[in-house]
Amino acid sequence: MDSTKKGFNTICTHWGQLEDSQFNGAISPIYLSTSYAFEEVETKRYPRYFNTPNQEALSKKIARLENGENALIFGSGMAAISTTLLAFLQKGDHIILQQTLYGGTANLVKKEFHRYGIEYTFVNVDHIDLFEKEIRPNTKVIYIETPSNPLLTITDITAVTSIAKKHRITTMIDNTFASPVNQTPIDLGVDIVIHSATKYLGGHSDILAGAVVSTKENINTIFQLGINLGGSLSDFTVWMLERSIKTLGLRVKQQNKNAKQVAKWLHKNEDVKTIYYPGLKTHPNHHIAKKQMKGYGGMVSFELQNYICPALFQKNLQLIKSSMSLAGVESTILSPAVTSHALLSPEERLQQGITDNLLRLSIGIENKKDIIADIQQAINETKKELVKTKKISE
Ligand SMILES: *Cc1c(COP(=O)(O)O)cnc(C)c1O
C-alpha cells in the first residue's frame, strides 16, 4: 500500500500489517518463534534484535504514523527513553532537559547520570531562550516533553529545534501525551520521537511498551545499544499493540473532544481553583499549542478549592477510577504527588508546580455528560461530608 496518499485512520488500520498468506485472515498473524532458520541473506532474526516479523511490522506502522523513517519497539516507555538517551550521550557529554518532565525520566537523569559522568541542566520552558543560554561546548542532546506530565505545560517545539539545529545538537521529544494523532514533532524538526506506548498507542490499559521513531541512521545508533541493554518487547504484546493502534485515531479524537468539554466545565466551576488544559484560551501557552497541535489531548489536570479534600473527592468518584497510568478508553484520575511523581522530593515537585492537591484526570471515550456528572456528584458528596464535620458552613 502506498501510504503517502492515505489518511491517518487508514494508515492506523492497514499500514505495517503482516499478510496471512496461509489462510487469508483479516489480521496480522502472530509469530512467536525466538529461533528462525537463516535465510539466504543471513538475517539473524531474534526478538532481542528487534527484528521478528511482528516487531518489524509494528515498527513500520509507528514510524509511518510519526512521519519517521524507522522505529524500534521497546518493553516499556522507560526502556525506550533510557536506551535512546544513553545511545546519544557518553562520559563528559551534557544534556539540556525541560524541567517539567515525566517523573521516571527526571529520576533517571538525577539518580543515574552521575554514574556515567553525564552532565545535565534543567530549564524552565516558559523561558525558551534558556535552551540556548545553557548550551555548553559538550552539549549533545536537548530533551523536551510537550504537553508535559502532569501539568500540561507546552514547549514551543520549533523554537527549540531551531536553536538545536543552529548548534548541531540532537533533539528528542517525549510525545506520549499528544500521540501522533495530535502532534507529529518530526514535521517540526525534532530528530527523535519517543513514546510510552503503554499510554495512547496501547490505549486499553493492558500493554506495557515503548517506541522510538527517527531516521534510519539514528535508529541504528539506538539499535546498537538496544541489543546490549535488551529492552525489546515480546511478540505477544507487539501483536496486541499493533491491534490497538488500529483504533488510535478514533479513540484520541473522542478523548480530545471529551477533554475539551470537561476542561471548559471545570473552568466554570467555582469549586475548582486551578485548571491546566492546553485547549483552554486561559492556558498561558495556548497560542503555542494551537500552532503545533491538531488536537489538545485527553489529559486535564486541576486543583479543587482548599475546602474540598482531594483524596475524599477521589474516593467519591464512581465512574472515574483512581488508578495509576493514563490514556485508557476509561477515564481515570490520580494524585501525581503520591504516584507518578512520588520519586521526586517535595521540593522538586513544587519547583515543577506539582502541589499535593493536584489531580490529573485522564479522559476516556465515555459519553462526556457521564464524566461531568460523576465529577459533579463527587464534589457534592465531598462538600456534604465536610459540612457534616463542620469544616465548612453551608
Ligand atoms: C508513562 C510515561 C512514561 C514511562 O512509560 P512506561 O511505559 O511506564 O515505562 C514516559 N513518559 C511519559 C510522558 C509517560 O506518561
Side-chain angles (χ1 to χ4, degrees):
M1 184 182 76
D2 173 14
S3 82
T4 52
K5 299 182 195 75
K6 301 289 192 287
F8 191 90
N9 286 330
T10 309
I11 293 164
C12 281
T13 317
H14 294 284
W15 193 244
Q17 176 135 334
L18 288 175
E19 295 294 323
D20 175 2
S21 51
Q22 206 171 0
F23 300 111
N24 284 323
I27 62 160
S28 291
I30 172 170
Y31 296 100
L32 294 174
S33 290
T34 53
S35 173
Y36 291 85
F38 294 134
E39 289 164 22
E40 244 173 280
V41 193
E42 238 186 63
T43 38
K44 287 169 257 168
R45 281 194 198 276
Y46 186 59
R48 184 160 47 74
Y49 290 3
F50 303 90
N51 64 359
T52 63
N54 289 91
Q55 285 172 332
E56 284 184 344
L58 178 60
S59 294
K60 225 168 132 186
K61 196 194 240 355
I62 293 178
R64 179 65 193 84
L65 291 174
E66 284 287 1
N67 295 332
E69 286 175 8
N70 204 357
L72 289 176
I73 314 302
F74 285 86
S76 72
M78 282 312 300
I81 291 168
S82 56
T83 307
T84 304
L85 283 171
L86 293 174
F88 283 85
L89 292 163
Q90 56 183 5
K91 197 174 161 189
D93 287 347
H94 174 244
I95 176 173
I96 298 171
L97 308 101
Q98 77 176 58
Q99 210 161 43
T100 42
L101 280 185
Y102 173 68
T105 311
N107 201 48
L108 168 74
V109 171
K110 289 177 182 171
K111 301 278 177 356
E112 311 292 342
F113 272 23
H114 70 95
R115 299 213 252 163
Y116 307 103
I118 301 166
E119 301 164 14
Y120 56 86
T121 307
F122 285 94
V123 300
N124 183 334
V125 294
D126 290 329
H127 303 282
I128 211 83
D129 54 316
L130 285 179
F131 280 97
E132 186 151 33
K133 281 207 183 102
E134 295 292 346
I135 291 174
R136 304 175 189 175
N138 57 341
T139 304
K140 294 288 158 60
V141 174
I142 294 180
Y143 185 101
I144 59 173
E145 178 182 320
T146 179
S148 73
N149 182 353
L151 284 170
L152 292 312
T153 59
I154 298 293
T155 311
D156 190 330
I157 299 175
T158 47
V160 170
T161 53
S162 61
I163 293 168
K165 279 195 196 325
K166 207 162 87 189
H167 297 269
R168 296 176 183 280
I169 294 168
T170 303
T171 44
M172 300 177 183
I173 187 172
D174 184 332
N175 202 33
T176 301
F177 265 38
S179 92
V181 182
N182 290 328
Q183 183 170 279
T184 44
I186 288 174
D187 298 338
L188 304 171
V190 173
D191 296 308
I192 300 172
V193 174
I194 310 178
H195 277 281
S196 166
T198 312
K199 314 297 166 53
Y200 287 103
L201 297 184
H204 296 72
S205 309
D206 53 9
I207 287 173
L208 181 74
V212 182
V213 183
S214 189
T215 57
K216 281 184 182 149
E217 194 187 344
N218 285 339
I219 289 298
N220 188 46
T221 303
I222 301 162
F223 165 80
Q224 296 299 336
L225 179 66
I227 56 174
N228 289 334
L229 293 184
S232 67
L233 185 65
S234 89
D235 279 300
F236 253 124
T237 319
V238 165
W239 180 86
M240 281 177 72
L241 185 52
E242 197 232 300
R243 194 273 309 262
S244 301
I245 290 175
K246 286 175 192 279
T247 58
L248 175 69
L250 298 180
R251 284 187 276 111
V252 172
K253 207 170 159 200
Q254 173 79 1
Q255 283 161 320
N256 284 344
K257 241 166 78 181
N258 280 351
K260 198 164 182 182
Q261 292 306 314
V262 172
K264 277 187 180 163
W265 182 83
L266 286 170
H267 182 67
K268 279 189 295 192
N269 194 310
E270 57 193 22
D271 292 316
V272 176
K273 188 165 77 179
T274 328
I275 168 143
Y276 304 91
Y277 186 66
L280 289 179
K281 289 197 180 74
T282 48
H283 186 288
N285 284 333
H286 172 68
H287 60 291
I288 301 168
K290 199 172 169 182
K291 185 180 71 170
Q292 66 193 24
M293 300 181 79
K294 297 176 195 93
Y296 299 107
M299 300 300 299
V300 180
S301 291
F302 63 101
E303 283 173 36
L304 293 164
Q305 298 289 7
N306 292 341
Y307 53 78
I308 302 175
C309 167
L312 202 53
F313 164 78
Q314 275 182 274
K315 255 190 221 149
N316 284 327
L317 288 166
Q318 290 172 353
L319 181 74
I320 304 166
K321 294 285 182 297
S322 285
S323 73
M324 202 69 177
S325 204
L326 59 103
V329 290
E330 67 287 340
S331 295
T332 58
I333 194 164
L334 61 67
S335 159
V338 295
T339 55
S340 62
H341 290 67
L343 291 172
L344 302 181
S345 69
E347 296 76 38
E348 286 172 321
R349 278 198 297 272
L350 278 182
Q351 207 177 25
Q352 290 198 22
I354 303 167
T355 65
D356 288 348
N357 285 340
L358 184 74
L359 294 170
R360 191 193 73 191
L361 187 55
S362 170
I363 305 286
I365 64 168
E366 302 97 337
N367 295 94
K368 65 174 184 283
K369 69 173 177 38
D370 296 325
I371 301 171
I372 290 171
D374 193 34
I375 299 171
Q376 182 67 73
Q377 69 75 27
I379 288 176
N380 293 346
E381 272 312 298
T382 314
K383 278 164 80 176
K384 255 190 247 164
E385 289 174 50
L386 290 173
V387 169
K388 259 190 269 163
T389 55
K390 292 199 180 60
K391 283 206 181 103
I392 57 168
S393 54
E394 249 174 332

